[in-house]
Amino acid sequence: MALVDLLGVSKHYEAQKILENINFHIDEGERVVIVGKNGSGKSTLMKIVHGSLDADAGERITRQNVEIKMLSQVPKFDPSHTVREAVEAGLGELRTSKVRFDEISILLATEFENTALLDEQARLSNFLDHHNAWNLDDKIERIMYHFMLKEYEDKNVDLLSGGEQRRVALASLLLLKPDILLLDEPTNHLDVYMVEFLEELILKERFTLLFISHDRYFIDQIATKTIEVEDCALREFTGGYSNYLTQKQELLRTMAQQHDNLLKLLKTENEWLSRGVKARLKRNEGRKQRVLTLREDAKNNPSKIHKMRLELEREAKHFNRSEGVNRQKMLFELEHLGLTLGDKLLIKDFSTRILQKDVIAVVGPNGSGKSTLLKALLGRLKPTSGVIKQGELSIGYFDQHREMLDDNLNLIETFCPHGGDRVDAQGTDYHVYGYLKNFLFPREFLDKKIGSLSGGEKNRVALALLFTKKVDCLILDEPTNDLDIPTINILEEKLQNFPGAVILVSHDRYFVDKIAKKLFIFKGDGTIEESLSLYSEYLDDEKESQEMDAIEAEFSKAVVTQSITAKPKVLKLSYNETRALESLPKEIETLEAKIDALNSCLANPKCYEEKGIGTLADELEKTKALYEEKVDELLTIEEKAEEIEALKNS
């Protein structure tokens, strides 16, 4: 059964249709990503699922007592709370439940046949299991450490930056673990190590998740289903981003074939309609109307197919790296560069050259000095030690604050400050509307003031403006923030075709893999490592190295432990494990019988025609998966019980 169902839902804002008669559901354990261009209705869909926005038509059905929590773009906190208090806010019921569970466990030592206490203990156990709240304090420490909140834990939460407050709000929701967690761009303001921790936590604790993200590796790692919002409708794909691209390619092929078939049918129907007299008979009005509908479809289909093909072609350029480039011109030469802010060492003795065709991604943890390096290259920060030599070059700079934009100007005035309606971009002359259309702006935006645009729209304007500048080097600080995936694809295409050097800071692993030819990796202790590998490969190698270090440390610890002759502590099965040991054999037996029954039905034409072969096959697959899960659980508990018995007898 679905936790939330939307049936026939529509939503309009004044005359603009956002969603039209859509159906949507999310089941327990699903992790669903919503994709689509900005303004397509992604956030609207999420808010309707959350219940904070009412639909204009249709029905929203939720399972009884389902708990749905959403990460706010602008979190609100009790102004008196410290960071730790804000993280722990809302955990009162979990703490109370754990205290009560411990009290009951003590009481049952003498009242072991008290049915009421046993029932309450079982209910509390299930509640704590669901929220993974048995070791809540350890979990709080781990999340605060990985989200880099420990250093602020006693600081007033209202004094944090917007990005830091979002991390506090996200940490609190992850600890609470609601039935459905809704996240809008959760990886914004997280460095790559925080994102990896978030991925591991979501997967390990089996969150039911509905999220919006432009981080394509995050989507690939997390999503079990992809929902695309386009033209007021939803289109569903199984799996994450890679599967989405594969299935969309197949959809494109199918649409093209259907369009060809439609044109053949339309030719036949047009010949019939051109005869005139029969088409005017009342009984043929329906057929006449169908011809008009076919004509409309035939007119609209090519633009839809072209748009989809263009998006897929942009993605097909992934990891396409140019070869044989002339790298003779030197733009920057860094000699023993050192940078310290306050008492924090950010860069230590770094030397390198940046050449005219270099495409460099500056990566590493938050606060390690990446943006500081960009400011030093721009001449806005003076090195503490060493020198930065700069060749003859002009620089285009994109920052997160969009300092190049004037809120009082409209788009025409921004791109054509000296009048007219033409703009030059990388040597090509465009009409300003034709150019901005490449960045997904409709014609009606030309007269809009910059100040009236959303954050994502301002980013698109700033990037579009950047590519009209005649510069030798682009320096970009988090360019993909607030952009949707279609716009990121356009940015990637522009950067791949840019003839000069590109230096960018980004936590978007997919974007970095696709664009960068070299990495400057900030290690967090002032050192910077240069690498020619893909960023995702570097992170995999780093993770593998850390795991090996952990294994070696664990082995060393085990050797020391074995040298201590103290008698090992006697373990015991938990209450839930004891109950499971009794119930699992019956459950497994029931599942075996069900599997036999389903196999029998699939072998009987009368049975599978009545129930549907697809439905039966799906049910059989789910039953087998559940059977394997229960068998694994029983074997694990039995092994533990045998170990306990062996320890008792030793």
Side-chain angles (χ1 to χ4, degrees), residues 33 35 215-217 219-221 223 226 239-246 311 315 485-486 489 510:
V33 63
V35 300
D215 185 329
R216 289 157 287 182
Y217 277 147
I219 294 172
D220 240 3
Q221 185 76 0
T226 300
Y241 193 70
S242 300
N243 285 352
Y244 159 75
L245 290 178
T246 302
E311 288 177 4
E315 282 293 23
I485 291 174
N489 283 331
Y510 194 101

mmCIF file with all atom_site columns, all heavy atoms in Angstrom, residues 33 35 215-217 219-221 223 226 239-246 311 315 485-486 489 510:
data_model
loop_
_atom_site.group_PDB
_atom_site.id
_atom_site.type_symbol
_atom_site.label_atom_id
_atom_site.label_alt_id
_atom_site.label_comp_id
_atom_site.label_asym_id
_atom_site.label_entity_id
_atom_site.label_seq_id
_atom_site.pdbx_PDB_ins_code
_atom_site.Cartn_x
_atom_site.Cartn_y
_atom_site.Cartn_z
_atom_site.occupancy
_atom_site.B_iso_or_equiv
_atom_site.pdbx_formal_charge
_atom_site.auth_seq_id
_atom_site.auth_comp_id
_atom_site.auth_asym_id
_atom_site.auth_atom_id
_atom_site.pdbx_PDB_model_num
ATOM 1   N N   . VAL A 1 33  ? 13.180 10.533 -7.098  1.00 0.00 ? 33  VAL A N   1
ATOM 2   C CA  . VAL A 1 33  ? 13.703 11.856 -7.454  1.00 0.00 ? 33  VAL A CA  1
ATOM 3   C C   . VAL A 1 33  ? 12.768 12.508 -8.472  1.00 0.00 ? 33  VAL A C   1
ATOM 4   O O   . VAL A 1 33  ? 12.231 11.838 -9.358  1.00 0.00 ? 33  VAL A O   1
ATOM 5   C CB  . VAL A 1 33  ? 15.132 11.757 -8.026  1.00 0.00 ? 33  VAL A CB  1
ATOM 6   C CG1 . VAL A 1 33  ? 15.185 10.961 -9.319  1.00 0.00 ? 33  VAL A CG1 1
ATOM 7   C CG2 . VAL A 1 33  ? 15.719 13.147 -8.244  1.00 0.00 ? 33  VAL A CG2 1
ATOM 8   N N   . VAL A 1 35  ? 12.702 15.272 -11.413 1.00 0.00 ? 35  VAL A N   1
ATOM 9   C CA  . VAL A 1 35  ? 13.569 16.057 -12.288 1.00 0.00 ? 35  VAL A CA  1
ATOM 10  C C   . VAL A 1 35  ? 12.703 16.857 -13.254 1.00 0.00 ? 35  VAL A C   1
ATOM 11  O O   . VAL A 1 35  ? 11.529 16.584 -13.445 1.00 0.00 ? 35  VAL A O   1
ATOM 12  C CB  . VAL A 1 35  ? 14.561 15.157 -13.059 1.00 0.00 ? 35  VAL A CB  1
ATOM 13  C CG1 . VAL A 1 35  ? 15.456 14.394 -12.107 1.00 0.00 ? 35  VAL A CG1 1
ATOM 14  C CG2 . VAL A 1 35  ? 13.823 14.185 -13.993 1.00 0.00 ? 35  VAL A CG2 1
ATOM 15  N N   . ASP A 1 215 ? 22.250 17.016 -8.657  1.00 0.00 ? 215 ASP A N   1
ATOM 16  C CA  . ASP A 1 215 ? 23.478 16.232 -8.481  1.00 0.00 ? 215 ASP A CA  1
ATOM 17  C C   . ASP A 1 215 ? 23.243 14.846 -9.071  1.00 0.00 ? 215 ASP A C   1
ATOM 18  O O   . ASP A 1 215 ? 22.651 13.970 -8.456  1.00 0.00 ? 215 ASP A O   1
ATOM 19  C CB  . ASP A 1 215 ? 23.824 16.147 -6.990  1.00 0.00 ? 215 ASP A CB  1
ATOM 20  C CG  . ASP A 1 215 ? 25.163 15.459 -6.739  1.00 0.00 ? 215 ASP A CG  1
ATOM 21  O OD1 . ASP A 1 215 ? 25.536 14.574 -7.539  1.00 0.00 ? 215 ASP A OD1 1
ATOM 22  O OD2 . ASP A 1 215 ? 25.824 15.799 -5.744  1.00 0.00 ? 215 ASP A OD2 1
ATOM 23  N N   . ARG A 1 216 ? 23.750 14.633 -10.287 1.00 0.00 ? 216 ARG A N   1
ATOM 24  C CA  . ARG A 1 216 ? 23.383 13.423 -11.027 1.00 0.00 ? 216 ARG A CA  1
ATOM 25  C C   . ARG A 1 216 ? 24.008 12.163 -10.447 1.00 0.00 ? 216 ARG A C   1
ATOM 26  O O   . ARG A 1 216 ? 23.425 11.088 -10.527 1.00 0.00 ? 216 ARG A O   1
ATOM 27  C CB  . ARG A 1 216 ? 23.744 13.623 -12.514 1.00 0.00 ? 216 ARG A CB  1
ATOM 28  C CG  . ARG A 1 216 ? 22.817 14.631 -13.183 1.00 0.00 ? 216 ARG A CG  1
ATOM 29  C CD  . ARG A 1 216 ? 23.407 15.271 -14.401 1.00 0.00 ? 216 ARG A CD  1
ATOM 30  N NE  . ARG A 1 216 ? 24.449 16.226 -14.035 1.00 0.00 ? 216 ARG A NE  1
ATOM 31  C CZ  . ARG A 1 216 ? 25.115 16.971 -14.931 1.00 0.00 ? 216 ARG A CZ  1
ATOM 32  N NH1 . ARG A 1 216 ? 24.836 16.859 -16.210 1.00 0.00 ? 216 ARG A NH1 1
ATOM 33  N NH2 . ARG A 1 216 ? 26.045 17.813 -14.524 1.00 0.00 ? 216 ARG A NH2 1
ATOM 34  N N   . TYR A 1 217 ? 25.192 12.256 -9.839  1.00 0.00 ? 217 TYR A N   1
ATOM 35  C CA  . TYR A 1 217 ? 25.764 11.085 -9.166  1.00 0.00 ? 217 TYR A CA  1
ATOM 36  C C   . TYR A 1 217 ? 24.955 10.748 -7.915  1.00 0.00 ? 217 TYR A C   1
ATOM 37  O O   . TYR A 1 217 ? 24.747 9.574  -7.594  1.00 0.00 ? 217 TYR A O   1
ATOM 38  C CB  . TYR A 1 217 ? 27.223 11.337 -8.785  1.00 0.00 ? 217 TYR A CB  1
ATOM 39  C CG  . TYR A 1 217 ? 28.200 11.094 -9.918  1.00 0.00 ? 217 TYR A CG  1
ATOM 40  C CD1 . TYR A 1 217 ? 29.362 11.851 -10.031 1.00 0.00 ? 217 TYR A CD1 1
ATOM 41  C CD2 . TYR A 1 217 ? 27.978 10.111 -10.872 1.00 0.00 ? 217 TYR A CD2 1
ATOM 42  C CE1 . TYR A 1 217 ? 30.263 11.634 -11.066 1.00 0.00 ? 217 TYR A CE1 1
ATOM 43  C CE2 . TYR A 1 217 ? 28.868 9.890  -11.909 1.00 0.00 ? 217 TYR A CE2 1
ATOM 44  C CZ  . TYR A 1 217 ? 30.012 10.659 -11.995 1.00 0.00 ? 217 TYR A CZ  1
ATOM 45  O OH  . TYR A 1 217 ? 30.901 10.438 -13.020 1.00 0.00 ? 217 TYR A OH  1
ATOM 46  N N   . ILE A 1 219 ? 21.771 11.314 -7.498  1.00 0.00 ? 219 ILE A N   1
ATOM 47  C CA  . ILE A 1 219 ? 20.539 10.686 -8.015  1.00 0.00 ? 219 ILE A CA  1
ATOM 48  C C   . ILE A 1 219 ? 20.806 9.222  -8.358  1.00 0.00 ? 219 ILE A C   1
ATOM 49  O O   . ILE A 1 219 ? 20.031 8.331  -8.003  1.00 0.00 ? 219 ILE A O   1
ATOM 50  C CB  . ILE A 1 219 ? 20.011 11.451 -9.252  1.00 0.00 ? 219 ILE A CB  1
ATOM 51  C CG1 . ILE A 1 219 ? 19.550 12.857 -8.862  1.00 0.00 ? 219 ILE A CG1 1
ATOM 52  C CG2 . ILE A 1 219 ? 18.865 10.679 -9.915  1.00 0.00 ? 219 ILE A CG2 1
ATOM 53  C CD1 . ILE A 1 219 ? 19.207 13.739 -10.052 1.00 0.00 ? 219 ILE A CD1 1
ATOM 54  N N   . ASP A 1 220 ? 21.915 8.977  -9.064  1.00 0.00 ? 220 ASP A N   1
ATOM 55  C CA  . ASP A 1 220 ? 22.243 7.611  -9.475  1.00 0.00 ? 220 ASP A CA  1
ATOM 56  C C   . ASP A 1 220 ? 22.450 6.691  -8.281  1.00 0.00 ? 220 ASP A C   1
ATOM 57  O O   . ASP A 1 220 ? 22.069 5.524  -8.299  1.00 0.00 ? 220 ASP A O   1
ATOM 58  C CB  . ASP A 1 220 ? 23.510 7.622  -10.334 1.00 0.00 ? 220 ASP A CB  1
ATOM 59  C CG  . ASP A 1 220 ? 23.268 7.059  -11.718 1.00 0.00 ? 220 ASP A CG  1
ATOM 60  O OD1 . ASP A 1 220 ? 22.115 6.716  -12.026 1.00 0.00 ? 220 ASP A OD1 1
ATOM 61  O OD2 . ASP A 1 220 ? 24.226 6.965  -12.493 1.00 0.00 ? 220 ASP A OD2 1
ATOM 62  N N   . GLN A 1 221 ? 23.073 7.223  -7.234  1.00 0.00 ? 221 GLN A N   1
ATOM 63  C CA  . GLN A 1 221 ? 23.373 6.427  -6.049  1.00 0.00 ? 221 GLN A CA  1
ATOM 64  C C   . GLN A 1 221 ? 22.122 6.143  -5.229  1.00 0.00 ? 221 GLN A C   1
ATOM 65  O O   . GLN A 1 221 ? 21.991 5.073  -4.634  1.00 0.00 ? 221 GLN A O   1
ATOM 66  C CB  . GLN A 1 221 ? 24.402 7.182  -5.181  1.00 0.00 ? 221 GLN A CB  1
ATOM 67  C CG  . GLN A 1 221 ? 24.909 6.422  -3.976  1.00 0.00 ? 221 GLN A CG  1
ATOM 68  C CD  . GLN A 1 221 ? 25.925 5.358  -4.324  1.00 0.00 ? 221 GLN A CD  1
ATOM 69  O OE1 . GLN A 1 221 ? 26.270 5.177  -5.489  1.00 0.00 ? 221 GLN A OE1 1
ATOM 70  N NE2 . GLN A 1 221 ? 26.398 4.634  -3.339  1.00 0.00 ? 221 GLN A NE2 1
ATOM 71  N N   . ALA A 1 223 ? 18.394 7.120  -6.010  1.00 0.00 ? 223 ALA A N   1
ATOM 72  C CA  . ALA A 1 223 ? 17.013 6.995  -6.509  1.00 0.00 ? 223 ALA A CA  1
ATOM 73  C C   . ALA A 1 223 ? 16.667 5.573  -6.942  1.00 0.00 ? 223 ALA A C   1
ATOM 74  O O   . ALA A 1 223 ? 17.451 4.904  -7.619  1.00 0.00 ? 223 ALA A O   1
ATOM 75  C CB  . ALA A 1 223 ? 16.779 7.956  -7.667  1.00 0.00 ? 223 ALA A CB  1
ATOM 76  N N   . THR A 1 226 ? 12.607 7.615  -10.957 1.00 0.00 ? 226 THR A N   1
ATOM 77  C CA  . THR A 1 226 ? 12.746 9.000  -11.415 1.00 0.00 ? 226 THR A CA  1
ATOM 78  C C   . THR A 1 226 ? 11.416 9.470  -12.004 1.00 0.00 ? 226 THR A C   1
ATOM 79  O O   . THR A 1 226 ? 10.837 8.790  -12.856 1.00 0.00 ? 226 THR A O   1
ATOM 80  C CB  . THR A 1 226 ? 13.855 9.114  -12.481 1.00 0.00 ? 226 THR A CB  1
ATOM 81  O OG1 . THR A 1 226 ? 15.095 8.673  -11.915 1.00 0.00 ? 226 THR A OG1 1
ATOM 82  C CG2 . THR A 1 226 ? 14.011 10.551 -12.961 1.00 0.00 ? 226 THR A CG2 1
ATOM 83  N N   . GLY A 1 239 ? 14.702 3.471  -11.588 1.00 0.00 ? 239 GLY A N   1
ATOM 84  C CA  . GLY A 1 239 ? 16.112 3.670  -11.283 1.00 0.00 ? 239 GLY A CA  1
ATOM 85  C C   . GLY A 1 239 ? 16.530 5.125  -11.258 1.00 0.00 ? 239 GLY A C   1
ATOM 86  O O   . GLY A 1 239 ? 15.699 6.037  -11.230 1.00 0.00 ? 239 GLY A O   1
ATOM 87  N N   . GLY A 1 240 ? 17.864 5.329  -11.269 1.00 0.00 ? 240 GLY A N   1
ATOM 88  C CA  . GLY A 1 240 ? 18.437 6.657  -11.136 1.00 0.00 ? 240 GLY A CA  1
ATOM 89  C C   . GLY A 1 240 ? 18.711 7.331  -12.466 1.00 0.00 ? 240 GLY A C   1
ATOM 90  O O   . GLY A 1 240 ? 18.075 7.027  -13.490 1.00 0.00 ? 240 GLY A O   1
ATOM 91  N N   . TYR A 1 241 ? 19.714 8.228  -12.480 1.00 0.00 ? 241 TYR A N   1
ATOM 92  C CA  . TYR A 1 241 ? 19.908 9.096  -13.635 1.00 0.00 ? 241 TYR A CA  1
ATOM 93  C C   . TYR A 1 241 ? 20.391 8.339  -14.868 1.00 0.00 ? 241 TYR A C   1
ATOM 94  O O   . TYR A 1 241 ? 19.932 8.608  -15.985 1.00 0.00 ? 241 TYR A O   1
ATOM 95  C CB  . TYR A 1 241 ? 20.901 10.216 -13.280 1.00 0.00 ? 241 TYR A CB  1
ATOM 96  C CG  . TYR A 1 241 ? 20.921 11.317 -14.296 1.00 0.00 ? 241 TYR A CG  1
ATOM 97  C CD1 . TYR A 1 241 ? 19.829 12.177 -14.433 1.00 0.00 ? 241 TYR A CD1 1
ATOM 98  C CD2 . TYR A 1 241 ? 22.007 11.488 -15.153 1.00 0.00 ? 241 TYR A CD2 1
ATOM 99  C CE1 . TYR A 1 241 ? 19.831 13.178 -15.383 1.00 0.00 ? 241 TYR A CE1 1
ATOM 100 C CE2 . TYR A 1 241 ? 22.020 12.488 -16.102 1.00 0.00 ? 241 TYR A CE2 1
ATOM 101 C CZ  . TYR A 1 241 ? 20.922 13.334 -16.212 1.00 0.00 ? 241 TYR A CZ  1
ATOM 102 O OH  . TYR A 1 241 ? 20.928 14.327 -17.166 1.00 0.00 ? 241 TYR A OH  1
ATOM 103 N N   . SER A 1 242 ? 21.306 7.380  -14.691 1.00 0.00 ? 242 SER A N   1
ATOM 104 C CA  . SER A 1 242 ? 21.797 6.613  -15.845 1.00 0.00 ? 242 SER A CA  1
ATOM 105 C C   . SER A 1 242 ? 20.652 5.844  -16.504 1.00 0.00 ? 242 SER A C   1
ATOM 106 O O   . SER A 1 242 ? 20.518 5.835  -17.736 1.00 0.00 ? 242 SER A O   1
ATOM 107 C CB  . SER A 1 242 ? 22.891 5.636  -15.410 1.00 0.00 ? 242 SER A CB  1
ATOM 108 O OG  . SER A 1 242 ? 23.976 6.312  -14.847 1.00 0.00 ? 242 SER A OG  1
ATOM 109 N N   . ASN A 1 243 ? 19.821 5.188  -15.677 1.00 0.00 ? 243 ASN A N   1
ATOM 110 C CA  . ASN A 1 243 ? 18.662 4.459  -16.211 1.00 0.00 ? 243 ASN A CA  1
ATOM 111 C C   . ASN A 1 243 ? 17.683 5.409  -16.883 1.00 0.00 ? 243 ASN A C   1
ATOM 112 O O   . ASN A 1 243 ? 17.081 5.080  -17.917 1.00 0.00 ? 243 ASN A O   1
ATOM 113 C CB  . ASN A 1 243 ? 17.949 3.705  -15.090 1.00 0.00 ? 243 ASN A CB  1
ATOM 114 C CG  . ASN A 1 243 ? 18.708 2.472  -14.648 1.00 0.00 ? 243 ASN A CG  1
ATOM 115 O OD1 . ASN A 1 243 ? 19.680 2.108  -15.274 1.00 0.00 ? 243 ASN A OD1 1
ATOM 116 N ND2 . ASN A 1 243 ? 18.282 1.850  -13.572 1.00 0.00 ? 243 ASN A ND2 1
ATOM 117 N N   . TYR A 1 244 ? 17.515 6.593  -16.285 1.00 0.00 ? 244 TYR A N   1
ATOM 118 C CA  . TYR A 1 244 ? 16.629 7.613  -16.860 1.00 0.00 ? 244 TYR A CA  1
ATOM 119 C C   . TYR A 1 244 ? 17.071 7.978  -18.277 1.00 0.00 ? 244 TYR A C   1
ATOM 120 O O   . TYR A 1 244 ? 16.258 8.042  -19.208 1.00 0.00 ? 244 TYR A O   1
ATOM 121 C CB  . TYR A 1 244 ? 16.626 8.832  -15.935 1.00 0.00 ? 244 TYR A CB  1
ATOM 122 C CG  . TYR A 1 244 ? 16.190 10.141 -16.549 1.00 0.00 ? 244 TYR A CG  1
ATOM 123 C CD1 . TYR A 1 244 ? 14.850 10.398 -16.827 1.00 0.00 ? 244 TYR A CD1 1
ATOM 124 C CD2 . TYR A 1 244 ? 17.118 11.145 -16.825 1.00 0.00 ? 244 TYR A CD2 1
ATOM 125 C CE1 . TYR A 1 244 ? 14.458 11.612 -17.371 1.00 0.00 ? 244 TYR A CE1 1
ATOM 126 C CE2 . TYR A 1 244 ? 16.735 12.361 -17.358 1.00 0.00 ? 244 TYR A CE2 1
ATOM 127 C CZ  . TYR A 1 244 ? 15.410 12.587 -17.635 1.00 0.00 ? 244 TYR A CZ  1
ATOM 128 O OH  . TYR A 1 244 ? 15.021 13.785 -18.170 1.00 0.00 ? 244 TYR A OH  1
ATOM 129 N N   . LEU A 1 245 ? 18.389 8.181  -18.470 1.00 0.00 ? 245 LEU A N   1
ATOM 130 C CA  . LEU A 1 245 ? 18.894 8.530  -19.799 1.00 0.00 ? 245 LEU A CA  1
ATOM 131 C C   . LEU A 1 245 ? 18.677 7.384  -20.786 1.00 0.00 ? 245 LEU A C   1
ATOM 132 O O   . LEU A 1 245 ? 18.273 7.607  -21.930 1.00 0.00 ? 245 LEU A O   1
ATOM 133 C CB  . LEU A 1 245 ? 20.380 8.878  -19.719 1.00 0.00 ? 245 LEU A CB  1
ATOM 134 C CG  . LEU A 1 245 ? 20.752 10.190 -19.023 1.00 0.00 ? 245 LEU A CG  1
ATOM 135 C CD1 . LEU A 1 245 ? 22.266 10.345 -18.981 1.00 0.00 ? 245 LEU A CD1 1
ATOM 136 C CD2 . LEU A 1 245 ? 20.116 11.385 -19.699 1.00 0.00 ? 245 LEU A CD2 1
ATOM 137 N N   . THR A 1 246 ? 18.952 6.154  -20.342 1.00 0.00 ? 246 THR A N   1
ATOM 138 C CA  . THR A 1 246 ? 18.779 4.985  -21.212 1.00 0.00 ? 246 THR A CA  1
ATOM 139 C C   . THR A 1 246 ? 17.320 4.829  -21.628 1.00 0.00 ? 246 THR A C   1
ATOM 140 O O   . THR A 1 246 ? 17.006 4.630  -22.814 1.00 0.00 ? 246 THR A O   1
ATOM 141 C CB  . THR A 1 246 ? 19.245 3.706  -20.488 1.00 0.00 ? 246 THR A CB  1
ATOM 142 O OG1 . THR A 1 246 ? 20.616 3.855  -20.110 1.00 0.00 ? 246 THR A OG1 1
ATOM 143 C CG2 . THR A 1 246 ? 19.092 2.488  -21.377 1.00 0.00 ? 246 THR A CG2 1
ATOM 144 N N   . GLU A 1 311 ? 18.743 17.271 -25.571 1.00 0.00 ? 311 GLU A N   1
ATOM 145 C CA  . GLU A 1 311 ? 19.152 17.016 -24.184 1.00 0.00 ? 311 GLU A CA  1
ATOM 146 C C   . GLU A 1 311 ? 20.016 15.757 -24.097 1.00 0.00 ? 311 GLU A C   1
ATOM 147 O O   . GLU A 1 311 ? 21.038 15.730 -23.404 1.00 0.00 ? 311 GLU A O   1
ATOM 148 C CB  . GLU A 1 311 ? 17.925 16.869 -23.289 1.00 0.00 ? 311 GLU A CB  1
ATOM 149 C CG  . GLU A 1 311 ? 17.189 18.179 -23.030 1.00 0.00 ? 311 GLU A CG  1
ATOM 150 C CD  . GLU A 1 311 ? 15.938 17.973 -22.193 1.00 0.00 ? 311 GLU A CD  1
ATOM 151 O OE1 . GLU A 1 311 ? 15.699 16.842 -21.755 1.00 0.00 ? 311 GLU A OE1 1
ATOM 152 O OE2 . GLU A 1 311 ? 15.200 18.952 -21.994 1.00 0.00 ? 311 GLU A OE2 1
ATOM 153 N N   . GLU A 1 315 ? 24.162 15.088 -23.063 1.00 0.00 ? 315 GLU A N   1
ATOM 154 C CA  . GLU A 1 315 ? 24.667 14.129 -22.085 1.00 0.00 ? 315 GLU A CA  1
ATOM 155 C C   . GLU A 1 315 ? 25.625 13.124 -22.735 1.00 0.00 ? 315 GLU A C   1
ATOM 156 O O   . GLU A 1 315 ? 26.529 12.614 -22.078 1.00 0.00 ? 315 GLU A O   1
ATOM 157 C CB  . GLU A 1 315 ? 23.511 13.378 -21.418 1.00 0.00 ? 315 GLU A CB  1
ATOM 158 C CG  . GLU A 1 315 ? 22.809 14.180 -20.339 1.00 0.00 ? 315 GLU A CG  1
ATOM 159 C CD  . GLU A 1 315 ? 23.696 14.441 -19.134 1.00 0.00 ? 315 GLU A CD  1
ATOM 160 O OE1 . GLU A 1 315 ? 24.936 14.399 -19.256 1.00 0.00 ? 315 GLU A OE1 1
ATOM 161 O OE2 . GLU A 1 315 ? 23.148 14.703 -18.067 1.00 0.00 ? 315 GLU A OE2 1
ATOM 162 N N   . ILE A 1 485 ? 18.882 20.480 -14.167 1.00 0.00 ? 485 ILE A N   1
ATOM 163 C CA  . ILE A 1 485 ? 19.766 19.642 -14.984 1.00 0.00 ? 485 ILE A CA  1
ATOM 164 C C   . ILE A 1 485 ? 19.815 20.093 -16.446 1.00 0.00 ? 485 ILE A C   1
ATOM 165 O O   . ILE A 1 485 ? 20.911 20.148 -17.027 1.00 0.00 ? 485 ILE A O   1
ATOM 166 C CB  . ILE A 1 485 ? 19.365 18.154 -14.854 1.00 0.00 ? 485 ILE A CB  1
ATOM 167 C CG1 . ILE A 1 485 ? 19.692 17.656 -13.440 1.00 0.00 ? 485 ILE A CG1 1
ATOM 168 C CG2 . ILE A 1 485 ? 20.113 17.290 -15.873 1.00 0.00 ? 485 ILE A CG2 1
ATOM 169 C CD1 . ILE A 1 485 ? 19.224 16.248 -13.142 1.00 0.00 ? 485 ILE A CD1 1
ATOM 170 N N   . PRO A 1 486 ? 18.682 20.464 -17.087 1.00 0.00 ? 486 PRO A N   1
ATOM 171 C CA  . PRO A 1 486 ? 18.785 20.957 -18.476 1.00 0.00 ? 486 PRO A CA  1
ATOM 172 C C   . PRO A 1 486 ? 19.713 22.160 -18.615 1.00 0.00 ? 486 PRO A C   1
ATOM 173 O O   . PRO A 1 486 ? 20.477 22.249 -19.576 1.00 0.00 ? 486 PRO A O   1
ATOM 174 C CB  . PRO A 1 486 ? 17.329 21.314 -18.827 1.00 0.00 ? 486 PRO A CB  1
ATOM 175 C CG  . PRO A 1 486 ? 16.506 20.418 -17.974 1.00 0.00 ? 486 PRO A CG  1
ATOM 176 C CD  . PRO A 1 486 ? 17.266 20.313 -16.682 1.00 0.00 ? 486 PRO A CD  1
ATOM 177 N N   . ASN A 1 489 ? 23.326 21.065 -18.332 1.00 0.00 ? 489 ASN A N   1
ATOM 178 C CA  . ASN A 1 489 ? 23.765 20.480 -19.606 1.00 0.00 ? 489 ASN A CA  1
ATOM 179 C C   . ASN A 1 489 ? 24.201 21.566 -20.589 1.00 0.00 ? 489 ASN A C   1
ATOM 180 O O   . ASN A 1 489 ? 25.187 21.411 -21.315 1.00 0.00 ? 489 ASN A O   1
ATOM 181 C CB  . ASN A 1 489 ? 22.640 19.647 -20.227 1.00 0.00 ? 489 ASN A CB  1
ATOM 182 C CG  . ASN A 1 489 ? 22.470 18.302 -19.553 1.00 0.00 ? 489 ASN A CG  1
ATOM 183 O OD1 . ASN A 1 489 ? 23.415 17.746 -19.024 1.00 0.00 ? 489 ASN A OD1 1
ATOM 184 N ND2 . ASN A 1 489 ? 21.263 17.788 -19.547 1.00 0.00 ? 489 ASN A ND2 1
ATOM 185 N N   . TYR A 1 510 ? 29.504 14.751 -10.888 1.00 0.00 ? 510 TYR A N   1
ATOM 186 C CA  . TYR A 1 510 ? 29.175 14.449 -12.285 1.00 0.00 ? 510 TYR A CA  1
ATOM 187 C C   . TYR A 1 510 ? 29.651 15.583 -13.191 1.00 0.00 ? 510 TYR A C   1
ATOM 188 O O   . TYR A 1 510 ? 30.261 15.361 -14.237 1.00 0.00 ? 510 TYR A O   1
ATOM 189 C CB  . TYR A 1 510 ? 27.661 14.259 -12.396 1.00 0.00 ? 510 TYR A CB  1
ATOM 190 C CG  . TYR A 1 510 ? 27.158 13.625 -13.671 1.00 0.00 ? 510 TYR A CG  1
ATOM 191 C CD1 . TYR A 1 510 ? 26.805 12.284 -13.705 1.00 0.00 ? 510 TYR A CD1 1
ATOM 192 C CD2 . TYR A 1 510 ? 27.020 14.363 -14.839 1.00 0.00 ? 510 TYR A CD2 1
ATOM 193 C CE1 . TYR A 1 510 ? 26.319 11.694 -14.866 1.00 0.00 ? 510 TYR A CE1 1
ATOM 194 C CE2 . TYR A 1 510 ? 26.545 13.793 -16.007 1.00 0.00 ? 510 TYR A CE2 1
ATOM 195 C CZ  . TYR A 1 510 ? 26.193 12.462 -16.013 1.00 0.00 ? 510 TYR A CZ  1
ATOM 196 O OH  . TYR A 1 510 ? 25.719 11.885 -17.166 1.00 0.00 ? 510 TYR A OH  1
#
